[in-house]
Structures are given as C-alpha cells and as structure tokens.
Amino acid sequence: MRWTQDQPVRGSIVRTQVKFYYHYGIFVDEQTVIQFGLPDNGTTPPEEIRVLITDIDVFANGGFVETGICETAEEKRTYRKADDIVSEAMSHVGETGYHILHNNCEHFVYGCCFGEKKSFLDGVRETIRNKLKKTE
C-alpha cells in the first residue's frame, strides 16, 4: 500500500502517525471515522479499548491524515467496495478484544477492507521467529 495526503473517500483506509507508530481507521466522511481505539491508547487498559466512531479531527489527534492507495494486484483484487467496507466497520462498533500484537487497529482496517486481518507487526513477529530458529 502506498500512502498519500490526498483527501480520503468513503471506505478508504486512513492513518495518522502517533509517536513512533501509525494509528489506522476507516474513513466514512468528515464527521465519521471508524477506528479500533483512539490514536494514543498508551494509558488505556486493553480491555477498555473498543471500536468507535469519531470525526476526522479526533482521529488525526493534531497530526496529518494519510490515505492508503492499493498498489499490489492482490490488494486491488480483494479490496471490497466502499459501502461494504463501511458496513463491515460499522458492524464492529462497540467491540473489544484489542491486543497490540494480534488484534490492533491495523488488523481491524485490513479485516474490513480485505476480509483478512493483518498488520505490519505480523511480519516483524515472523522475522523474529525465523531468527530465533536459526540460533537454536
């Protein structure tokens, strides 16, 4: 996925940088972004983090909003239609179950858009596992 500061459209994956990581959401319109938790959940217990609806300013948390653009053939092939993405995201509002490694905001948006939860952290975990196997 390539990132741009172009105006997002309904169903876009959006992200904003928070400290050393990104926070992700699904853009509906200027008054509606659906996200798993708020941009800086650092002091919130994981069991209290839920999928919620905010506006774009709350999502941006004083930063810039970037819009995801699908580049790979796989992503373009599996990317759902905007209304389906928004419906899927809305169906999760209020849900909990946040886990920084296994069920975070990036997992949430990829699940809504592609039907498969994934995160940059998945690749990091796999790399660490492979390096540990080599040292055994």
Side-chain angles (χ1 to χ4, degrees):
M1 185 154 302
R2 179 174 56 86
W3 297 94
T4 177
Q5 288 189 2
D6 292 344
Q7 176 66 32
V9 296
R10 182 177 176 83
S12 293
I13 294 176
V14 290
R15 73 179 187 181
T16 188
Q17 188 163 7
V18 182
K19 300 175 186 164
F20 58 88
Y21 62 92
Y22 288 98
H23 178 67
Y24 295 82
I26 300 293
F27 182 86
V28 179
D29 55 43
E30 291 295 328
Q31 289 74 43
T32 315
V33 175
I34 304 167
Q35 56 190 314
F36 198 174
L38 292 169
D40 191 359
N41 288 318
T43 60
T44 306
E47 62 274 9
E48 292 180 17
I49 298 172
R50 20 180 74 17
V51 177
L52 51 100
I53 298 171
T54 65
D55 64 29
I56 194 76
D57 292 331
V58 170
F59 175 81
N61 195 37
F64 295 101
V65 174
E66 296 179 308
T67 303
I69 307 295
C70 292
E71 287 191 312
T72 68
E74 176 68 12
E75 288 175 329
K76 287 179 183 176
R77 184 174 59 82
T78 59
Y79 201 78
R80 294 176 170 164
K81 293 181 180 0
D83 287 339
D84 295 335
I85 293 167
V86 171
S87 292
E88 179 67 20
M90 290 291 259
S91 75
H92 294 284
V93 171
E95 286 184 6
T96 59
Y98 183 89
H99 189 283
I100 188 67
L101 297 177
H102 305 292
N103 194 30
N104 61 41
C105 59
E106 189 177 14
H107 287 105
F108 169 71
V109 298
Y110 273 84
C112 292
C113 292
F114 302 105
E116 178 185 354
K117 292 183 175 188
K118 71 177 188 174
S119 168
F120 163 77
L121 292 175
D122 299 337
V124 172
R125 282 195 324 264
E126 188 63 30
T127 300
I128 291 169
R129 280 190 202 113
N130 290 336
K131 288 186 183 214
L132 289 173
K133 284 179 186 177
K134 288 179 183 178
T135 62
E136 291 176 351

